[in-house]
Amino acid sequence: MSTWFITGISRGFGRIMTEELLRRGHTVIGTTRNGKGPLEHDNLRVVSMDVNDPDQVVATMQAAVQAAGHIDVVVNNAGYGLVGAVEEVSDAEVDHVMATNFGGTHRVIKAALPFLRAQGSGHIVNFSSVGGFTGSAGFGIYCASKFAVEGMSEALAVELKPLGIGVTIVEPGYFRTEFLSHDSAVVAVAHIPAYADTAGQTRSNVNAVDGRQAGDPAKGVAVIIDAVESGNPPFRLPLGADSIARIEQKMAHVQADIEAWRSRAMATAFDG
Ligand SMILES: NC(=O)c1ccc[n+]([C@@H]2O[C@H](COP(=O)([O-])OP(=O)(O)OC[C@H]3O[C@@H](n4cnc5c(N)ncnc54)[C@H](OP(=O)(O)O)[C@@H]3O)[C@@H](O)[C@H]2O)c1
């Protein structure tokens, strides 16, 4: 049985993953911003942590390792969606979502790595999104925060492999958590009429889709845990038929763009 450190277990993927891990006999150290746990269990320790508070992240990780003796898996789950056209989103809105989704993930990784390196083992699971692989209208800045998670994770995986530590990024499509609810998703304050048919459409869809997402988070977390427990977890784990379809569509578009300009693009080295 292993010990998992998970950020943001108050609800959604974090809560459901906690429940499933406890059911499988693992130990969970889970963070919530108000310090209250979604459930009580002998193998669950709930700690108060905002991923945007650097000192709290370091202190919480130290206390968690002291209490548990070691941590096997770190899950960076905490995050939220920001809806708005790129031009509509304010600097403050950009800063906050980047600080939470990317900065929070980076902070937790930095706090955990001295312990994982000392152990010579461990696995880091970073929640990205299908939006961390391909951008979509109305989610541009949220996608940027998840692209940042993916770029960092790709480098991290190479850096940590020789140290015996693994990395997996999870790319869910739409799953029925509270992600799209008014409590979670932030809508940019500014609305520009020119984007009514693109980002504006996404804004309307968010309310319509909330509660009707095809993805079952219980099935999603089972796949994530199975992958980590497999002993040979993938680096990239897309979740949901919608995620896989959009990722394959993007790969085909990238390949088509390369082919269309391959000969010209290849012929750009200095002569000789
Ligand atoms: N559900 C989807 O369709 C979907 C799709 C792609 C990716 N994802 C990703 O999956 C992850 C989990 O989201 P979810 O779907 O489970 O959404 P959710 O139901 O809204 O849960 C989000 C969790 O993140 C926590 N959180 C937010 N900001 C935080 C902060 N600054 N510090 C600490 N915790 C914070 C929330 O805690 P509080 O209760 O304190 O607010 C909550 O526990 C996110 O990274 C999200 O981007 C979700």
Side-chain angles (χ1 to χ4, degrees):
M1 291 303 115
S2 49
T3 301
W4 293 53
F5 181 96
I6 309 175
T7 63
I9 66 157
S10 63
R11 51 202 163 96
F13 277 122
R15 177 177 66 78
I16 295 164
M17 179 178 275
T18 298
E19 288 168 353
E20 179 60 13
L21 286 165
L22 294 172
R23 199 187 64 73
R24 295 188 190 198
H26 297 293
T27 296
V28 176
I29 301 166
T31 77
T32 62
R33 279 190 282 189
N34 62 13
K36 290 187 190 144
L39 65 144
E40 289 188 5
H41 192 286
D42 286 349
N43 291 344
L44 171 63
R45 181 186 170 93
V46 180
V47 285
S48 173
M49 192 182 92
D50 185 329
V51 297
N52 279 317
D53 182 333
D55 294 340
Q56 203 180 31
V57 170
V58 170
T60 302
M61 187 61 72
Q62 273 169 355
V65 176
Q66 252 163 21
H70 68 287
I71 288 174
D72 299 296
V73 186
V74 175
V75 182
N76 284 295
N77 163 73
Y80 71 92
L82 173 62
V83 185
V86 171
E87 188 185 346
E88 291 172 331
V89 175
S90 71
D91 288 0
E93 288 164 339
V94 172
D95 289 348
H96 195 269
V97 79
M98 290 299 292
T100 304
N101 294 359
F102 169 68
T105 299
H106 179 235
R107 250 169 246 125
V108 170
I109 289 169
K110 280 187 63 159
L113 275 178
F115 301 107
L116 302 187
R117 283 192 290 101
Q119 290 170 194
S121 67
H123 200 79
I124 296 171
V125 177
N126 292 333
F127 266 79
S128 174
S129 164
V130 60
F133 192 89
T134 179
S136 60
F139 276 117
I141 302 303
Y142 169 73
C143 290
S145 74
K146 294 297 191 178
F147 267 65
V149 168
E150 296 219 354
M152 171 178 67
S153 301
E154 288 183 0
L156 188 70
V158 177
E159 293 164 0
L160 295 185
K161 192 169 182 196
L163 308 181
I165 302 163
V167 179
T168 293
I169 49 174
V170 181
E171 297 167 322
Y174 276 134
F175 275 77
R176 207 173 300 171
T177 64
E178 291 182 39
F179 182 70
L180 295 179
S181 73
H182 294 298
D183 289 336
S184 235
V186 171
V187 178
V189 172
H191 293 185
I192 300 175
Y195 299 108
D197 293 338
T198 52
Q201 200 61 52
T202 301
R203 215 165 18 237
S204 314
N205 285 350
V206 162
N207 293 331
V209 173
D210 185 28
R212 295 191 178 84
Q213 299 95 325
D216 176 347
K219 291 183 180 170
V221 303
V223 175
I224 299 167
I225 299 168
D226 286 349
V228 174
E229 285 181 337
S230 73
N232 186 24
F235 171 71
R236 182 167 264 110
L237 184 57
L239 280 185
D242 54 343
S243 176
I244 289 177
R246 286 187 52 208
I247 287 171
E248 287 180 338
Q249 195 177 37
K250 172 165 175 179
M251 290 193 301
H253 283 152
V254 171
Q255 196 61 49
D257 282 348
I258 288 173
E259 294 314 327
W261 285 84
R262 177 186 290 274
S263 58
R264 290 288 308 280
M266 293 284 279
T268 49
F270 284 106
D271 290 338

